[in-house]
Amino acid sequence: MTPMPALPSAVEDYLRDTLMRRAHPLLLSFGDDWQLRELHGDPAVYGLDAEHGLRELQDLFIGLPLDGHQDLPFVEFSNGRSAHVHLIADAPGFHVLLLDAEEERERQRAQQQLGHDAVLTGHEQSKAIGRLTEIRNELERQRASLEEANALKNALIATLSHEFRTPLTSIFGYLHLLERRLDGSGNAAQALQAVRRNATYLFTLAENLLEYGRGESGAALLNPVEVDLTLLARDLDAMFRPLAEDKGVAFRVDLLVEETAPPVFDEVRLRQIVVNLLSNAVRYTTKGEIACDLVWRDGRLSIDVADSGIGISAEFRDSVFKPFNRGGQSGSKGAGLGLSIVRRLIEQMRGELRLESELGRGTRFRVELPPLARAAAKSAASHAAPFPRGVQALVVDDDPDIAQLLEVLLIDLGFEVRVAENASQAIAEATRQPPDVLLIDVELPGLSGNAAVFQLRSHGYRGRIVTLSATSTGDARDASLRAGADHYLTKPLNLDQFVGVMQRALQGEASGQNPDADRRG
Amino acid sequence: MRTHKLCMLGDFGVGKTSLVARFVRSTFSAKYLTTVGVKVDSKEVALPGREPLKLVVWDIAGRGALDGVGENYLRGASALLLVADGTREASLASALNLLMQSRRSLPNAVVALAVNKLDLVDRWEVAPATLAELRNTLPVFETSALSGDGVEAAFADLAARLAP
C-alpha cells in the first residue's frame, strides 16, 4: 500500500484556516496545580475572563483525576456558548482544549426540541382527551341524576300537594254540609262564607308555597312515635262520617286493640294512609256502606277499608297504584295520587297492601303494618349527637372574616381551634402539632390549599381534611379529594351541611366512601 | 471553601434547568428550551452553624444522562438531585431508574428527589401516598420552580448532608 501523498500545502493551509475559524480552539496549558503556563486562542469567545474564567474551568473538573484524558462534550459556558471540553494529560501538568460546539449544539437542540415538544404535547393531549372523556361521562351522570332528581322532585311536590289537599278537602266537605243545613241565610251562613273564603285562600297559599319550595327535594325520614289509636279512630269518624252520610252512604270506624302497649308508627304517615284510603272510598261510593276496621293485634296493625262503590276491574288493579291514574274509576275528581301515595308510604314502612275488588260491588283494601322499631328513633337521635369536647381543629383561610366565622362555629361546637392564614403556615402548624381536623381554603394566595393538602398527606398527616372552595364544579372537588382531602365544601357555607360534614369527618367517613355526601356541597 | 459537584438527573421537560435557574439566579422562564449537553452553575450555600460550601450544579440534558456520554458528566459528583414532574407519573419512574443506574458509578453520592411543578398540583398524576412511601427511602421535596416553593429546601438538604 503506497503511503497517501501529503496534501498540497495550499489545501492544508485552507483546511487549517477553515477549521481554526470554525472550531475557535482555545488551549490552556497548566502545571499540576492549575498554574496557567501558556494560552492559545481567545478566552473571550467562551466568556472566560481573567477573573472568573479559571474558576469556571476548575469547576468542570471537580472530583476528576487530572492525570488522564477527559472529554466533556457540549458544555455551556456562562456566556451561553457551547464547547467540547477536552483535558489532555501531559505530566507533570495538563492541557485544557475547548472546541466550539455552538453550531452543532443548536442543530441538535432544534432536533431534540421537536422530539421533546411532540412527546410533551402528546402527553398533554392524551390527558386532555382523558379529561374530556371524564367530563362527558360526568355530564352524562349529572344528566341522569338530574333526571332522577327531577322525577323525585315532581313526586315529592305531588305528594305534598296531596297532603295539603286532603285536609282541605275535608274542610270544604264540612263547609258544604254546614252551608246546606243553614240554608244559606243569616249570620252563621256569612261566617261560613268567611271560613270558605279563607280556606280557599289557605289552599292558594299552600299551592304557592309548594311552588316556591320546588327547589328542595329529598326523602323524609320516618318519625316513630306512640300512636293513640282511639283518637285516630275518632278523628277518622269525624272527618268522613259527614262526607259519607251526605252522599247517603253508611259509615263506621271500628277499633280492636288486643295489645297492652300502644303501637309505634310515624303518625303523620299512618294518618295519611287511612285518610287516603277513606277519601278514595268516599269518592267512589254512592250507596251502601264504607267500613274501616283498625286492629292492633299480635304486634301488627291491620287497616281494612271496605266500600260498596263502583269497584276496580281486574285489568286496572295494578295501575290504580300509579300516579295520575284512576284505573277506570272514571268520572271523579282528584289527581289520582292517593293510592300511589298509600302504596309508597306502606313500602316505606315495610308493610303489606292487598286489594280485593269486584266491579260494581265494591273494593276492599287491607293493610298490614309492622310497628317501627324504637331503635330507629334512638339511632336518629345519636346521629345528631353533640361533638366531643376538645377536638383540635386548624382553620386556614386568608380571609380573616371567614377564618373568624369558622373559628366561632367550631368553638361553638366544642372544638379547640387554631388559625393559620396561608399554606406554609398551615403546613408548619400541622406538622408541629397535627390537628384532628384541618379546614383549609383551596384558593389561598401563593401555595394553594390543595398543594398544602398534598404535601401534608405525602408527609403522612392522617387527620381529617375538609377543603373549602368558592368553586362548585365536580372537577374542583375531585382535584381536592385527589390531593388528599376527605371532604369538599363550597362557599357560601350552608351551616347545616357544615355541621353534617364535621360530624362525618369526626366519624371517619370520607367522601370517597360516600360519594354523594358532599357533591351537593 | 469546600466545593461539591451536584448533578441534576431526570427526564426531559421535568424542570431541571428551571430549578437551577430558580436556585442560582432566582429567575423563572415558562418557555421550555431543551438542554443539550450540560450547563454548569455554582452557588454558595450558607449552612447554619457551619462553614458555607459551594455547590457546582451540573444541569445535565434530560434522558441519555446515563448513556456513555452521561457517565462522563456524572464522574466526580458527590450529590444527585433527582427531578420528576408531578404531572407526569412516568417521569418519577425515570428519575428512580436514573438513580439506580447512577448508583453503580456513584455509590456514595447523597441523593434527594424533587417532584416539581407543585404549582400545577391540581393536575398531578403522582399520588401523595406514593411520595409518602418514597420518603421511607430518600428525602422528597415537592417543588415549584415557578413559585420557588421547596427549591431552596431541596438544595439546602443536599448541602447539609455534604457538610462534615
Side-chain angles (χ1 to χ4, degrees):
Chain A
M1 195 165 154
T2 49
M4 197 163 70
L7 291 171
S9 60
V11 174
E12 275 194 346
D13 290 348
Y14 174 80
L15 270 179
R16 191 176 57 248
D17 286 351
T18 307
L19 288 174
M20 292 288 271
R21 207 169 46 246
R22 286 193 183 161
H24 295 113
L26 173 67
L27 181 69
L28 301 107
S29 301
F30 294 98
D32 58 356
D33 53 355
W34 286 96
Q35 200 64 45
L36 183 62
R37 290 189 175 150
E38 271 185 59
L39 173 71
H40 299 274
D42 181 7
V45 172
Y46 303 102
L48 298 172
D49 58 31
E51 197 179 341
H52 304 293
L54 182 60
R55 181 51 58 112
E56 201 172 342
L57 281 181
Q58 283 179 332
D59 283 350
L60 284 180
F61 296 98
I62 289 167
L64 298 183
L66 301 176
D67 55 359
H69 295 330
Q70 306 289 347
D71 182 11
L72 299 172
F74 296 111
V75 175
E76 184 180 324
F77 284 90
S78 52
N79 68 347
R81 199 163 186 109
S82 183
H84 298 311
V85 179
H86 305 268
L87 185 140
I88 302 148
D90 187 3
F94 55 90
H95 310 280
V96 176
L97 174 65
L98 275 63
L99 299 173
D100 196 353
E102 187 58 21
E103 269 184 42
E104 195 181 347
R105 196 259 301 253
E106 283 312 306
R107 209 167 37 244
Q108 279 208 16
R109 168 144 50 204
Q111 273 180 0
Q112 205 166 290
Q113 182 91 30
L114 282 176
H116 289 179
D117 281 345
V119 173
L120 293 175
T121 309
H123 182 256
E124 282 303 312
Q125 271 175 352
S126 64
K127 275 171 92 168
I129 289 169
R131 276 200 295 278
L132 283 176
T133 311
E134 271 175 27
I135 289 167
R136 199 183 55 193
N137 293 343
E138 178 61 26
L139 282 176
E140 185 54 38
R141 274 196 297 277
Q142 283 184 0
R143 192 188 60 79
S145 83
L146 274 178
E147 273 178 10
E148 198 183 308
N150 198 40
L152 195 72
K153 184 192 72 181
N154 289 341
L156 185 77
I157 287 169
T159 309
L160 278 173
S161 301
H162 206 82
E163 281 179 36
F164 274 103
R165 280 180 189 133
T166 304
L168 283 165
T169 305
S170 174
I171 291 172
F172 287 124
Y174 278 112
L175 277 172
H176 182 64
L177 268 181
L178 288 171
E179 281 165 351
R180 269 169 46 119
R181 285 181 191 173
L182 288 169
D183 289 333
S185 62
N187 288 342
Q190 279 181 357
L192 283 181
Q193 278 170 8
V195 173
R196 175 179 285 284
R197 247 191 339 266
N198 283 291
T200 309
Y201 180 54
L202 179 63
F203 183 76
T204 314
L205 278 182
E207 291 293 304
N208 286 349
L209 270 179
L210 287 171
E211 184 63 33
Y212 193 74
R214 269 170 217 270
E216 303 285 338
S217 72
L221 295 167
L222 293 173
N223 178 30
V225 292
E226 288 180 358
V227 178
D228 182 342
L229 289 175
T230 310
L231 184 63
L232 174 66
R234 204 188 302 149
D235 286 349
L236 291 172
D237 194 74
M239 277 173 82
F240 289 100
R241 179 178 295 282
L243 294 174
E245 289 180 351
D246 191 37
K247 294 173 88 175
V249 176
F251 183 85
R252 69 171 177 85
V253 178
D254 286 328
L255 170 67
L256 176 63
V257 175
E258 289 189 2
E259 296 274 344
T260 48
V264 174
F265 286 103
D266 184 320
E267 186 164 5
V268 173
R269 285 176 172 65
L270 179 63
R271 277 174 182 263
Q272 238 179 314
I273 289 170
V274 198
V275 166
N276 272 312
L277 289 176
L278 284 172
S279 296
N280 200 63
V282 170
R283 187 176 299 144
Y284 297 111
T285 307
T286 50
K287 60 180 179 5
E289 187 193 45
I290 295 170
C292 174
D293 289 289
L294 302 172
V295 180
W296 171 224
R297 179 168 56 194
D298 300 332
R300 291 176 83 81
L301 177 69
S302 61
I303 303 163
D304 193 315
V305 175
D307 66 54
S308 53
I310 58 173
I312 303 164
S313 67
E315 57 179 306
F316 289 116
R317 298 248 167 101
D318 284 333
S319 56
V320 288
F321 294 112
K322 290 179 181 159
F324 308 108
N325 191 322
R326 287 194 290 277
Q329 295 177 303
S330 55
S332 321
K333 290 178 183 170
L337 278 171
L339 292 180
S340 74
I341 289 168
V342 164
R343 183 159 80 169
R344 196 187 309 163
L345 292 175
I346 290 171
E347 280 170 3
Q348 265 184 36
M349 297 167 84
R350 300 176 194 283
E352 288 167 24
L353 170 65
R354 272 176 299 159
L355 161 63
E356 295 160 14
S357 187
E358 202 176 325
L359 205 57
R361 310 214 38 172
T363 305
R364 177 186 292 266
F365 288 95
R366 290 171 188 270
V367 179
E368 291 272 332
L369 290 175
L372 299 174
R374 280 194 164 279
K378 279 179 192 148
S379 86
S382 76
H383 186 71
F387 287 89
R389 313 297 295 181
V391 178
Q392 301 273 327
L394 175 60
V395 169
V396 191
D397 204 305
D398 59 309
D399 181 332
D401 291 342
I402 303 271
Q404 199 186 357
L405 170 69
L406 291 170
E407 187 182 7
V408 170
L409 282 174
L410 288 168
I411 288 173
D412 244 22
L413 293 172
F415 285 77
E416 283 176 18
V417 186
R418 286 174 285 154
V419 177
E421 61 184 36
N422 60 47
S424 310
Q425 251 184 37
I427 291 169
E429 193 58 29
T431 309
R432 186 180 67 77
Q433 191 188 345
D436 301 303
V437 186
L438 171 71
L439 285 104
I440 184 164
D441 182 28
V442 173
E443 291 94 5
L444 290 172
L447 199 62
S448 75
N450 284 346
V453 168
F454 187 100
Q455 286 191 290
L456 282 171
R457 284 292 189 228
S458 86
H459 277 87
Y461 172 69
R462 298 175 74 87
R464 315 307 296 175
I465 298 181
V466 180
T467 47
L468 300 112
S469 169
T471 313
S472 62
T473 64
D475 275 356
R477 175 183 177 278
D478 289 348
S480 258
L481 298 185
R482 253 199 331 274
D486 301 298
H487 300 275
Y488 182 78
L489 278 173
T490 52
K491 298 177 186 174
L493 279 183
N494 171 320
L495 292 191
D496 287 342
Q497 197 175 27
F498 174 74
V499 172
V501 163
M502 293 312 291
Q503 259 168 351
R504 287 206 303 281
L506 289 192
Q507 285 159 7
E509 270 178 40
S511 296
Q513 293 161 311
N514 189 7
D516 295 327
D518 294 330
R519 206 173 280 282
R520 292 189 297 270
Chain B
M1 188 187 307
R2 285 172 313 104
T3 304
H4 287 279
K5 173 172 172 179
L6 181 158
C7 288
M8 310 287 291
L9 285 185
D11 213 340
F12 65 85
V14 296
K16 297 180 295 299
T17 305
S18 295
L19 285 172
V20 175
R22 169 59 65 189
F23 174 59
V24 177
R25 291 180 291 280
S26 299
T27 58
F28 177 80
S29 162
K31 184 172 163 36
Y32 170 57
L33 196 60
T34 182
T35 304
V36 173
V38 66
K39 169 98 168 71
V40 181
D41 268 300
S42 66
K43 183 174 172 173
E44 280 179 26
V45 181
L47 295 167
R50 285 183 280 183
E51 292 256 312
L53 63 78
K54 179 174 152 185
L55 284 181
V56 174
V57 183
W58 284 51
D59 173 21
I60 301 171
R63 242 180 220 171
L66 288 162
D67 53 24
V69 178
E71 292 272 2
N72 260 4
Y73 292 139
L74 287 183
R75 287 173 65 190
S78 40
L80 297 176
L81 183 56
L82 307 171
V83 185
D85 170 354
T87 70
R88 282 153 62 203
E89 182 138 43
S91 71
L92 183 59
S94 290
L96 298 175
N97 197 26
L98 286 166
L99 172 63
M100 283 196 287
Q101 293 179 51
S102 59
R103 273 287 180 228
R104 285 198 304 259
S105 54
L106 298 170
N108 300 317
V110 298
V111 181
L113 169 67
V115 187
N116 196 29
K117 307 194 185 177
L118 183 60
D119 46 286
L120 300 178
V121 72
D122 289 357
R123 287 161 49 188
W124 274 29
E125 293 175 353
V126 175
T130 309
L131 298 189
E133 189 65 30
L134 273 174
R135 281 206 165 83
N136 298 323
T137 323
L138 79 169
V140 179
F141 296 86
E142 290 95 353
T143 60
S144 165
L146 184 147
S147 70
D149 283 298
V151 178
E152 198 73 35
F155 283 97
D157 170 77
L158 288 170
R161 285 187 287 138
L162 286 169

